[in-house]
Amino acid sequence: MDASSETLNTARGIETLKLLGGRLCLDFVNSLDPRIGKTAHDFLSNYADLVKWSQHVGVSTEDQMCHLLSGTAHRPDKANAIFERAIVLREALYRIFTAIAHEAEPLSTDLEIVRDTFVAVMTHARLMPGP
């Protein structure tokens, strides 16, 4: 985003973010809204916002959110690295979805970002019994 031609507004809280995408990945991309226009609002300005977003969209509980925030309170470098990777993923997803909407081929670099993120996340996955 070109700071000279667009304004970035970060005053509104995550609780005001409307979930209109119908899919988690689209709601993640929509955490910067609007994408087109003079005033964009990025609901994710730091790690804490990212954790609050995960609770807002229902992928973590309030207890998990508190645990994540307290777990990185003394490790700001780790929190910043996680946040930066999340934003890189969000922007790659945006470019992929935009390419698809325009019936174009997504960039291989963007697809690699999504694949690499998936592989990294799956190393922490575990199977749990459920109903």
Side-chain angles (χ1 to χ4, degrees), residues 5-56:
S5 64
E6 298 191 29
T7 305
L8 186 61
N9 178 354
T10 58
R12 297 184 308 187
I14 198 72
E15 65 281 351
T16 65
L17 175 61
K18 294 180 181 170
L19 306 176
L20 306 172
R23 297 273 187 251
L24 183 61
C25 58
L26 294 174
D27 287 330
F28 186 47
V29 168
N30 290 340
S31 64
L32 176 61
D33 184 57
R35 288 285 180 157
I36 300 171
K38 292 192 182 236
T39 304
H41 178 77
D42 195 342
F43 287 88
L44 306 178
S45 59
N46 55 42
Y47 175 78
D49 289 345
L50 179 64
V51 172
K52 291 173 189 171
W53 175 87
S54 73
Q55 196 268 332
H56 180 68

Side-chain angles (χ1 to χ4, degrees), residues 40-82:
H41 178 77
D42 195 342
F43 287 88
L44 306 178
S45 59
N46 55 42
Y47 175 78
D49 289 345
L50 179 64
V51 172
K52 291 173 189 171
W53 175 87
S54 73
Q55 196 268 332
H56 180 68
V57 298
V59 296
S60 67
T61 66
E62 188 167 343
D63 286 344
Q64 290 168 326
M65 179 183 72
C66 292
H67 177 73
L68 288 167
L69 290 174
S70 66
T72 56
H74 301 299
R75 295 183 289 178
D77 291 345
K78 181 178 180 180
N80 286 334
I82 292 168

